[in-house]
Amino acid sequence: MADAGWLAALPEDLARIVAALAEPAAAALAALAGAVGGIALMRRLERRETGDETLELIADPIFALRGGALQPLNRAARDFAAANLPASTLAALSGWLARQDGELDGRLEELLARAEPFRIEITTAEGRHLELDGRPRGALTVLTLREATGARAREAAAMAALARVETEHRLLTAIVDAAPVPMWRSLPGKGVVWANAAYRRLAGAHDPEAPPPALFAQPGTPARTGAADAPRRLSLPGQGGDPLWFEVTERDLGDAGIGGVAVGIDAAVRAEAALRRFVETLTETFAHLPIGLAVFDKNRRLGLFNPAIADILKLDPAWLASRPTLRQFLERLRENRQMPDPPDFLAWRSRLTALERDAEAAAYEEDWVLPSGQTLHVSGRPHPQGAIALLFEDISSAITLERRYRAEIETLKAVLNKLPDAVALFRPDGMLAHANTAFHGVWRLDPAQMQPPPHISRLIEHWAAACEPGPVWRRLHDFATGQDARAPWCARLLLRDGRIMQARFAPLPDGSTLTSFQDETERERLQADLRDAVADLATERRLMLDRLEALRGALGGGAADAPDAAALAEDLGRILARLREGAAEGAEEALSGSDLPGLPATELPALVQAVADLSRGEGTAGPEIRIDVAGELPGLSRRRLRQLLHGLIAAAEAQAPGRLDSLSVRRQDDALVMAAHLAGAGAEPAPGLAVALLRRLARLEGGNVVIEADAAGDGAAIRCTIPLRAASSGPRAALSGGGK
């Protein structure tokens, strides 16, 4: 077994356990020593002569064996023989032994034959432990029965205690060897005399009997017994070049030497190195941080600040380095007007100083609007250990941008509210973001019912109830809540109250959905009216074409005696062709295509009568014709006059076919006035295609056309006024093609 001094090298708690386990072993050894002493006493008593009176004092039965007979030598032997042996013979003793747990195995014969002593253990049926001792004594052979129950119990207890001690020793040795920390014991001048398995592995010593090298030696020992050195750090070379760091603790064990324990602290060393790097990085980060930082310790003194706080708060860095208190810091801010100036300064100050009174419970966050117009966002973050961190962020530009953004939002909302169309904007999740004023009016919604903003599915239910059934609402729900690629689309809605809506749905870049509803009821009514008017005009145009066709046939077939009838038929043919092609603007070209001689005033009555007769048709009485013209008609050709007369008659008959009762041509100052009177035409003459053609012809000559009802209401008149000018004067000659 190794030197017992190894116990002193163990940690204090471990050594106490080993010492406690050793106490039962010491008691067992003492009991064993007492038993041995009793045996020696018995041996001394056995050396006495038989028949000695002192044998009577011995409590153990003693027999002398003479041949085959047993002779009791003391009272205890006589009492034993009387109680257990039917006869004082060796056979009776052998029979009794056979009934007990004990065998002689020929030892008695060896004693008698060769005088070889023996000792056997006997366990009686009652559970008593006896010891039969046989040995020669001179000429006698002595058998002694000793009571061994107490001795055996003490011996068994001692052996059990010793076994426990050995088990605990092996267990503690295994525990110490299994410990991951190196342990050792050293003696002055001898070095390390014991080490555990972790130490031997670290030292590379594979032989457990050989003393390992000293890995953690240092000069000197603690000053007094039981004193422990302060833990010290040292490193040993490791695999891969990385050092292994340990924290070594040694204690003076007195005569047992010095015991030591080395705890590996590689993780702690790496953590400390990482912490140092983190602090360095944090310091550099704080130095470049645009937000001002001031950290006050639990004594409310400034412990840490970055350069930004000096720039933001206009503070002297040297003054900050003097570590002012929180109260001094706030007072300096007030002196430099770097704090707001609220109406109730005391109440505001009490909220701020709550950080100083109760750092664990208080939290501070507020925007400071300084007298200079600068805005600071100030937040106080308390620490459970009593420290306080104040952050100062200049948000002036952000506040300005936010105000501008809000102003733009309000402007956009105002613009949307001014739109006549109903507009609603839905967020990507389908919730209503904004609806303009027209939206509530068109869909008859109370704005109070729109709070909180509803989901689009709720509004779709309202829309579907107000409109005729259709698939548009399911498509709209999928469109507003879907995330796939979306394209704008439109739908026509027919409301149950008769209104017609044009709905437009469009996606926005952020996933929102824009919906607009335009009331198309009036526009579609106007479109229907316009279509009816166009249909009426088309009917009237067809009627005029038919009448022009009939007039052309009349001019070409039965009016050869009329002046220039062939030329007039040719001109009307070109007009008819242009009208059928739908090119009204080409009428001017058709009307100005011929170049006829100028018209003398003497030919005017015959021309007017011919045009009137042709317009009325052959065999029909013409209108009353009144002509009041003298002299020449300067600047007006026969062709143009013929066109104007025909247009006037066509316009009159378009108003009331067959009701033309008079046609007059007169000269008024420097203008030629042509008028067609209609009998019973009504008070509201309606313009048509013939009137438009007449006005076009009049404008070419610089004139105008007026349609008016009689004052009595029994007729209407169409009056065309053409100014008379020289052929070379004004733009009329250019427009009319320079006719004579």
Side-chain angles (χ1 to χ4, degrees):
M1 182 185 299
D3 193 337
W6 65 274
L7 291 172
L10 297 176
E12 184 175 354
D13 294 340
L14 204 58
R16 191 181 301 113
I17 294 172
V18 174
L21 292 174
E23 291 179 0
L29 291 176
L32 183 61
V36 174
I39 294 172
L41 175 61
M42 293 300 299
R43 289 178 177 176
R44 287 196 300 271
L45 291 175
E46 290 175 358
R47 295 192 190 101
R48 299 178 179 272
E49 295 293 334
T50 58
D52 194 339
E53 294 180 359
T54 58
L55 294 178
E56 296 294 338
L57 301 177
I58 299 175
D60 296 330
I62 302 176
F63 296 92
L65 184 61
R66 298 178 183 273
L70 291 176
Q71 180 181 355
L73 298 182
N74 58 0
R75 181 179 298 277
R78 289 190 294 272
D79 294 341
F80 177 81
N84 300 292
L85 301 179
S88 297
T89 61
L90 182 60
L93 179 62
S94 299
W96 180 82
L97 290 174
R99 294 192 300 272
Q100 313 305 319
D101 185 9
E103 295 291 339
L104 290 177
D105 295 333
R107 295 184 182 183
L108 187 58
E109 289 77 4
E110 294 293 331
L111 175 62
L112 294 175
R114 299 185 180 86
E116 293 184 1
F118 68 89
R119 182 182 295 173
I120 62 174
E121 295 179 356
I122 301 171
T123 302
T124 66
E126 296 82 8
R128 297 171 56 198
H129 294 282
L130 301 177
E131 187 180 71
L132 178 61
D133 181 86
R135 59 188 63 251
R137 290 290 184 265
L140 297 176
T141 299
V142 180
L143 296 177
T144 305
L145 277 173
R146 299 187 184 90
E147 184 69 33
T149 302
R152 285 293 303 276
R154 290 190 296 273
E155 181 181 359
M159 295 302 295
L162 181 60
R164 287 196 300 271
V165 169
E166 291 178 349
T167 301
E168 294 296 334
H169 175 264
R170 289 192 298 270
L171 177 61
L172 292 176
T173 301
I175 291 174
V176 171
D177 284 340
V181 296
M183 302 178 183
W184 69 93
R185 184 174 68 88
S186 61
L187 293 174
K190 294 183 179 180
V192 177
V193 296
W194 172 86
N196 67 343
Y199 187 100
R200 292 194 299 271
R201 286 194 301 270
L202 186 63
H206 303 289
D207 186 2
E209 301 297 332
L215 297 177
F216 307 99
Q218 69 167 348
T221 57
R224 64 183 185 278
T225 301
D229 283 345
R232 55 190 175 90
R233 288 186 177 185
L234 55 85
S235 63
L236 298 178
Q239 296 179 355
D242 295 332
L244 301 176
W245 286 91
F246 296 90
E247 188 175 72
V248 180
T249 302
E250 290 184 316
R251 172 173 290 184
D252 190 349
L253 304 177
D255 295 339
I258 297 175
V261 176
V263 179
I265 57 171
D266 290 338
V269 171
R270 289 193 295 268
E272 291 174 356
L275 180 60
R276 285 194 299 271
R277 291 192 297 269
F278 175 73
V279 171
E280 293 173 358
T281 303
L282 200 60
T283 303
E284 294 179 359
T285 302
F286 285 164
H288 297 88
L289 192 67
I291 301 176
L293 173 66
V295 180
F296 294 85
D297 58 20
K298 62 181 180 180
N299 297 321
R300 303 299 181 270
R301 285 197 169 273
L302 184 62
L304 175 66
F305 67 93
N306 65 341
I309 197 171
D311 298 334
I312 294 175
L313 300 178
K314 309 299 189 294
L315 296 175
D316 186 6
W319 181 79
L320 293 173
S322 65
R323 301 188 62 197
T325 63
L326 177 60
R327 185 173 296 273
Q328 292 172 344
F329 180 81
L330 297 178
E331 290 295 339
R332 180 60 64 92
L333 292 183
R334 187 179 183 186
E335 293 174 2
N336 294 347
R337 298 181 62 81
Q338 295 300 314
M339 296 178 69
D341 201 3
D344 191 355
F345 180 80
L346 295 179
W348 180 85
R349 173 67 178 273
S350 64
R351 293 197 307 270
L352 183 61
T353 54
L355 284 172
E356 184 178 5
R357 293 193 304 269
D358 190 359
E360 295 186 6
Y364 179 81
E365 188 165 0
E366 190 177 4
D367 290 341
W368 289 4
V369 180
L370 306 184
S372 62
Q374 186 181 13
T375 304
L376 301 180
H377 180 73
V378 183
S379 57
R381 294 292 181 265
H383 191 275
Q385 301 300 326
I388 301 173
L390 293 179
L391 301 175
F392 297 85
E393 181 181 5
D394 188 352
I395 59 173
S396 302
S397 58
I399 290 295
T400 302
L401 183 61
E402 182 179 359
R403 290 173 180 170
R404 187 181 305 165
Y405 176 75
R406 289 181 178 177
E408 292 179 355
I409 293 296
E410 294 300 326
T411 302
L412 290 177
K413 288 183 178 179
V415 170
L416 290 178
N417 289 333
K418 296 298 182 181
L419 292 178
D421 297 345
V423 179
L425 176 64
F426 295 90
R427 292 195 294 265
D429 59 354
M431 302 302 294
L432 178 65
H434 178 70
N436 66 347
T437 305
F439 181 85
H440 300 92
V442 167
W443 293 108
R444 297 180 174 88
L445 292 171
D446 185 1
Q449 298 177 354
M450 307 291 285
Q451 298 298 329
H455 193 266
I456 191 172
S457 58
R458 177 181 164 191
L459 291 176
I460 286 177
E461 294 176 358
H462 177 78
W463 296 334
C467 299
E468 296 294 336
V472 64
W473 307 119
R474 170 55 58 186
R475 180 183 177 187
L476 175 59
H477 184 276
D478 298 339
F479 178 79
T481 58
Q483 299 298 327
D484 298 335
R486 302 182 297 169
W489 57 287
C490 301
R492 184 176 181 271
L493 307 178
L494 179 60
L495 277 67
R496 298 183 186 274
D497 58 5
R499 290 181 296 165
I500 300 173
M501 293 286 179
Q502 180 70 20
R504 296 178 178 85
F505 310 103
L508 298 181
D510 63 344
S512 302
T513 302
L514 180 65
T515 64
S516 65
F517 302 90
Q518 184 178 7
D519 193 341
E520 297 286 324
T521 306
E522 185 65 22
R523 189 179 68 85
E524 291 202 4
R525 187 187 65 79
L526 292 176
Q527 286 181 349
D529 294 344
L530 183 59
R531 284 194 296 269
D532 294 341
V534 170
D536 293 342
L537 290 176
T539 302
E540 185 177 354
R541 180 174 178 271
R542 286 195 298 271
L543 293 174
M544 175 171 278
L545 290 175
D546 294 340
R547 292 170 62 191
L548 290 176
E549 182 70 25
L551 180 60
R552 178 185 178 187
L555 292 176
D561 56 339
D564 300 322
L568 181 58
E570 183 180 357
D571 291 342
L572 291 176
R574 286 198 296 270
I575 295 173
L576 185 62
R578 291 292 185 178
L579 289 174
R580 284 176 175 168
E581 293 175 2
E585 65 273 13
E588 177 185 348
E589 179 183 352
L591 294 174
S592 61
S594 61
D595 188 9
L596 302 177
L599 177 66
T602 56
E603 298 181 6
L604 183 60
L607 177 61
V608 172
Q609 186 64 49
V611 172
D613 293 342
L614 291 175
S615 298
R616 293 293 294 175
E618 185 178 1
T620 304
E624 180 184 356
I625 298 176
R626 295 188 298 270
I627 299 177
D628 184 10
V629 177
E632 297 292 331
L633 301 176
L636 185 63
S637 65
R638 180 184 303 169
R639 176 184 57 83
R640 184 67 75 199
L641 181 58
R642 186 171 57 246
Q643 293 170 353
L644 289 170
L645 286 172
H646 185 273
L648 179 61
I649 295 172
E653 292 186 350
Q655 299 297 317
R659 306 299 297 275
L660 179 62
D661 62 354
S662 66
L663 179 66
S664 64
V665 180
R666 73 179 185 275
R667 182 168 181 170
Q668 182 178 348
D669 298 332
D670 292 332
L672 182 67
V673 179
M674 296 175 290
H677 188 269
L678 305 176
E684 296 292 340
L689 181 60
V691 176
L693 182 59
L694 176 61
R695 284 176 174 167
R696 174 65 174 166
L697 292 171
R699 282 197 299 271
L700 290 176
E701 296 299 327
N704 58 8
V705 176
V706 177
I707 303 175
E708 57 186 2
D710 292 344
D714 57 352
I718 302 177
R719 186 171 57 253
C720 177
T721 303
I722 304 297
L724 298 175
R725 299 176 183 176
S728 60
S729 63
R732 185 183 61 177
L735 291 173
S736 61
K740 297 178 182 178

